[in-house]
Amino acid sequence: MTKASDVKPPCATVAATAGVSGGIFGVMWGFYSGISDPREFSPLFRVAHVTGSALGDGLKFGVLAALFSGTRCASQRLRGQDDWVNSSVAGAIAGTAVAATVGQRGWTLLQAAALAAIVAGAADRYLIGPVGDHEVVAVPQLEGRGREASGGSKQIGSVEMASFDDVLRVPAWISQYFNKHL
């Protein structure tokens, strides 16, 4: 039997999903920044400015998210490991792309790649943590269709779906901190 966690989508799907999510975030960001621009515009030009800002930022955020997620996925598949190194590689490539699009060259391009790699790797390593270093958050079971499989998960066809409480996981150090200090 194949578990749902064992079925991995193609990297193109991961990149496309991230691109759409990043694009939606970028549109919201651009809409807000376009509306909050303090310059005086005529009403028609204000609408054009807000629309251009929203679409431009949506495109930028979408491409950046797709590039980062697609590169992280490809690195994970090539290396066969899911760790912070994949995020560092993706951060370096995405940071280089961002720096190159704003006209940076040479040493500044390398600095942008290094900074993005360090930030992405550190975020993955210290905020998310290794995949096996998660604890299950106690949540009620959801009733669903399908027959019960081992461990409270549901089996739908030949794929075993994770139960709701298996999906909500937090890094162990976060739950340890709150258990200790609350």
Side-chain angles (χ1 to χ4, degrees), residues 16-153:
T17 304
V20 169
S21 299
I24 291 170
F25 175 78
V27 166
M28 292 187 299
W29 180 277
F31 184 76
Y32 174 75
S33 66
I35 285 179
S36 60
D37 191 344
R39 294 180 288 184
E40 294 293 325
F41 296 123
S42 67
L44 185 60
F45 189 72
R46 171 67 71 183
V47 170
H49 176 69
V50 170
T51 304
S53 177
L55 294 177
D57 285 352
L59 181 64
K60 290 174 197 168
F61 277 85
V63 169
L64 181 63
L67 181 62
F68 179 85
S69 295
T71 305
R72 186 181 187 288
C73 178
S75 175
Q76 177 183 353
R77 302 278 168 82
L78 288 172
R79 294 181 61 241
Q81 296 178 4
D82 186 14
D83 58 7
W84 61 272
V85 175
N86 302 323
S87 292
S88 292
V89 169
I93 291 174
T96 303
V98 168
T101 58
V102 295
Q104 300 298 322
R105 300 287 180 257
W107 182 245
T108 309
L109 198 65
L110 184 61
Q111 289 174 329
L115 179 63
I118 290 168
V119 169
D124 195 342
R125 172 67 178 98
Y126 295 107
L127 296 179
I128 300 169
V131 174
D133 189 27
H134 290 74
E135 293 181 3
V136 175
V137 176
V139 294
Q141 286 285 341
L142 289 180
E143 296 297 322
R145 296 172 49 189
R147 62 181 196 276
E148 290 287 332
S150 61
S153 57

